[in-house]
Amino acid sequence: MREVVFTVEYENGADEVMDHFIEHPDLYARSMEITATSDSVWGIEKVVGPTDVLEEFDDRLERVASDPNASGMCGAPITEWNYDVLSSNEESRKIYSLRREGDGPRSIPLVAAKHVGEGLMMRTERRGDQFRWTLLVDETVAAMHDEIRENLRDGLSLTVERLGTPPCLLEDGRVQQSLTPEQKAALEAAIERGYYEVPRQRSVTEIAADVGVSSSTFQYRLNRAEAWLAHQLAADSMDVDVDADLDPEDIEFIR
């Protein structure tokens, strides 16, 4: 078995939900579980982002899922799209979804299920204009690639990032490896303006206004940076097996 990473890039305007990821670089999604047959795909996805961005994501998802004219990435009509928000807080959603596609060229997971059959393993990530699919496959890569590429909707393009041994699917992949530029800037702004001084010199609302973002967005970026720092401290200075259990995205913060 080999691992293949298919990355679909979306032009702005090609997909309403992906447009939201393009417009908000802090928004990130990854699958927790995902399974597919030749006509349906279901699983659980975790979506993380600032509060106001997530609220708009909720609205877009509801609107698109109920659209009778919605279609998959390769054009087949979506005949059923059910979803349920399993858990929700200010910074994340865990969403179960089931989608079925009708006649026509099918999307990546359905094409993969047709070619690989039982035992298909997948992982997904969404950020910015990219929707990445990591799959564990046999010798069907070329046929899958050709079928998907030939049928992508307008505004979508396909690249193969890697093909080889499967480190990504075998690694846990839950720990954030580095700060994003936005998270680093938020942390630097908080330090420079005395947010961590005793007594505190500036509030989140005041610093957010200084740097020109909403307070919820700034709070989200600062929380992500603090979670990353906590992980680094645990990894470097404490007797904690952080790789096994710590997921910074699941940390609840006291306001």
Side-chain angles (χ1 to χ4, degrees):
M1 302 293 284
R2 296 183 294 172
E3 180 183 87
V4 61
V5 180
F6 289 132
T7 297
V8 180
E9 294 188 5
Y10 286 73
E11 294 179 4
N12 203 356
D15 182 277
E16 185 174 355
V17 175
M18 286 301 299
D19 284 350
H20 200 48
F21 284 88
I22 295 171
E23 294 160 8
H24 300 282
D26 279 340
L27 190 64
Y28 172 71
R30 61 177 172 84
S31 60
M32 303 176 70
E33 300 285 344
I34 186 166
T35 307
T37 65
S38 59
D39 67 352
S40 60
V41 56
W42 63 96
I44 300 173
E45 186 176 43
K46 182 170 183 177
V47 186
V48 179
T51 302
D52 53 346
V53 175
L54 284 173
E55 289 173 350
E56 186 178 348
F57 174 84
D58 295 338
D59 294 339
R60 292 200 185 199
L61 179 60
E62 181 178 4
R63 185 165 56 249
V64 172
S66 60
D67 182 359
N69 298 315
S71 61
M73 66 177 65
C74 290
I78 297 176
T79 58
E80 180 181 353
W81 190 344
N82 298 319
Y83 73 92
D84 187 20
V85 180
L86 302 179
S87 68
S88 174
N89 58 44
E90 291 184 353
E91 296 181 352
S92 70
R93 307 282 191 270
K94 290 180 181 176
I95 302 171
Y96 166 83
S97 66
L98 167 65
R99 286 177 38 165
R100 301 184 192 278
E101 294 187 2
D103 294 337
R106 301 285 176 77
S107 300
I108 285 177
L110 310 182
V111 172
K114 180 182 74 174
H115 286 277
V116 178
E118 295 182 356
L120 174 64
M121 294 181 61
M122 295 178 287
R123 174 181 289 174
T124 64
E125 291 182 282
R126 290 195 275 178
R127 191 194 296 274
D129 64 353
Q130 296 188 341
F131 198 150
R132 303 176 74 236
W133 293 81
T134 303
L135 301 95
L136 195 62
V137 300
D138 49 23
E139 299 301 321
T140 60
V141 175
M144 289 169 51
H145 173 268
D146 292 346
E147 183 172 344
I148 296 163
R149 181 185 288 275
E150 290 171 3
N151 295 298
L152 282 175
R153 294 190 340 242
D154 290 343
L156 280 63
S157 59
L158 179 72
T159 58
V160 178
E161 290 193 18
R162 68 180 311 277
L163 177 62
T165 56
C168 293
L169 280 168
L170 296 180
E171 292 173 355
D172 188 276
R174 292 177 297 178
V175 176
Q176 181 178 340
Q177 297 301 316
S178 62
L179 294 177
T180 67
E182 296 82 7
Q183 292 163 2
K184 183 179 179 182
L187 184 61
E188 290 174 345
I191 293 171
E192 290 170 357
R193 289 164 174 78
Y195 180 77
Y196 296 106
E197 298 295 327
V198 180
R200 181 167 289 166
Q201 302 299 307
R202 304 291 295 278
S203 69
V204 162
T205 301
E206 291 170 329
I207 301 173
D210 287 347
V211 300
V213 299
S214 69
S215 58
S216 62
T217 295
F218 184 82
Q219 182 72 73
Y220 166 77
R221 293 173 179 175
L222 190 59
N223 286 350
R224 296 270 58 79
E226 291 171 344
W228 184 84
L229 288 173
H231 174 267
Q232 298 304 310
L233 174 65
D236 295 340
S237 306
M238 302 170 64
D239 186 18
V240 176
D241 185 5
V242 293
D243 290 331
D245 299 313
L246 180 63
D247 184 350
E249 293 177 358
D250 287 328
I251 295 175
E252 299 293 338
F253 294 91
I254 300 174
R255 296 287 190 261

